[in-house]
């Protein structure tokens, strides 16, 4: 026990008294090491991140991009290349079903067949036999399910960097 007392006493550092029992002792502040740094290197400066909302993405193709002055010369050349001068693509010229066109209609279903099939009438007047999983590219439709007298399709529309998918159920007019 006494060896422990001497060990603790030897490990303590003596401090000068403050002159009063209840006042704290003054301690010298540690020396601060000041490292001289130069100006920030402009090569490592991070530019303001480019932000664009979904509404702006769905907007006009030829709309001006804010912050174009922040682009590198190579990126600016790509943005002003021959593709930037192309006219905007309209959905009517690409063959996508538009509300002004005659819609796809269900002519008949064969729900007992394996796989179940349906006959769809296309806007150009032709008819096509489809099964679940069929993709109608020009009409932007995907056949999801074929039931007795009904077909469930998904209408896919491009919306900027994502797609809008709308579920539509077609019903046969005649049974």
């Amino acid at each position: 026990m006494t060896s422990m007392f001497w060990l603790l006493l030897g490990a303590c550092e003596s401090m000068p008294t403050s002159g009063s029992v209840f006042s704290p002792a003054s301690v010298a502040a540690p020396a601060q090491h000041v490292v001289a740094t130069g100006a920030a290197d402009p090569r490592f400066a991070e530019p303001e991140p480019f932000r664009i909302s979904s509404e702006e993405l769905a907007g006009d193709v030829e709309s001006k991009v804010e912050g174009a002055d922040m682009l590198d010369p190579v990126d600016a050349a790509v943005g002003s290349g021959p593709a930037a001068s192309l006219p905007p693509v309209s959905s009517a010229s690409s063959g996508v079903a538009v509300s002004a066109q005659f819609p796809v209609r269900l002519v008949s279903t064969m729900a007992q067949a394996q796989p179940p099939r349906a006959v769809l009438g296309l806007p150009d007047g032709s008819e096509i036999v489809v099964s679940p999983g069929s993709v109608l590219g020009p009409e932007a439709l995907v056949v999801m399910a074929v039931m007795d007298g009904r077909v469930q399709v998904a209408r896919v529309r491009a919306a900027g960097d994502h797609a809008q998918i709308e579920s539509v159920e077609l019903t046969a007019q005649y049974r």
Side-chain angles (χ1 to χ4, degrees), residues 145-168:
V146 176
M147 299 158 278
D148 190 28
R150 297 179 294 152
V151 173
Q152 185 176 11
V153 296
R155 180 176 290 139
V156 182
R157 288 189 214 135
D161 63 343
H162 58 282
Q164 292 178 342
I165 301 173
E166 175 187 0
S167 180
V168 178

Side-chain angles (χ1 to χ4, degrees), residues 109-164:
T109 60
M110 296 166 268
Q112 279 65 29
Q114 284 300 326
R117 291 183 280 273
V119 178
L120 297 180
L122 300 179
D124 63 358
S126 64
E127 295 179 350
I128 185 170
V129 177
V130 296
S131 60
S134 297
V135 178
L136 303 175
E139 286 77 27
L141 294 175
V142 178
V143 178
M144 303 301 291
V146 176
M147 299 158 278
D148 190 28
R150 297 179 294 152
V151 173
Q152 185 176 11
V153 296
R155 180 176 290 139
V156 182
R157 288 189 214 135
D161 63 343
H162 58 282
Q164 292 178 342

Side-chain angles (χ1 to χ4, degrees), residues 47-54 56-57 64-68 70:
E48 177 81 20
F50 179 73
R51 299 183 194 282
I52 188 166
S53 68
S54 295
E56 292 170 328
L57 283 173
K64 296 293 180 188
V65 175
E66 295 178 17
M70 294 173 42

Side-chain angles (χ1 to χ4, degrees), residues 89-121:
V89 178
S90 67
S91 59
S93 65
S94 65
V96 176
V98 181
S99 61
Q101 290 181 337
F102 192 74
V104 174
R105 65 195 186 287
L106 177 61
V107 177
S108 176
T109 60
M110 296 166 268
Q112 279 65 29
Q114 284 300 326
R117 291 183 280 273
V119 178
L120 297 180

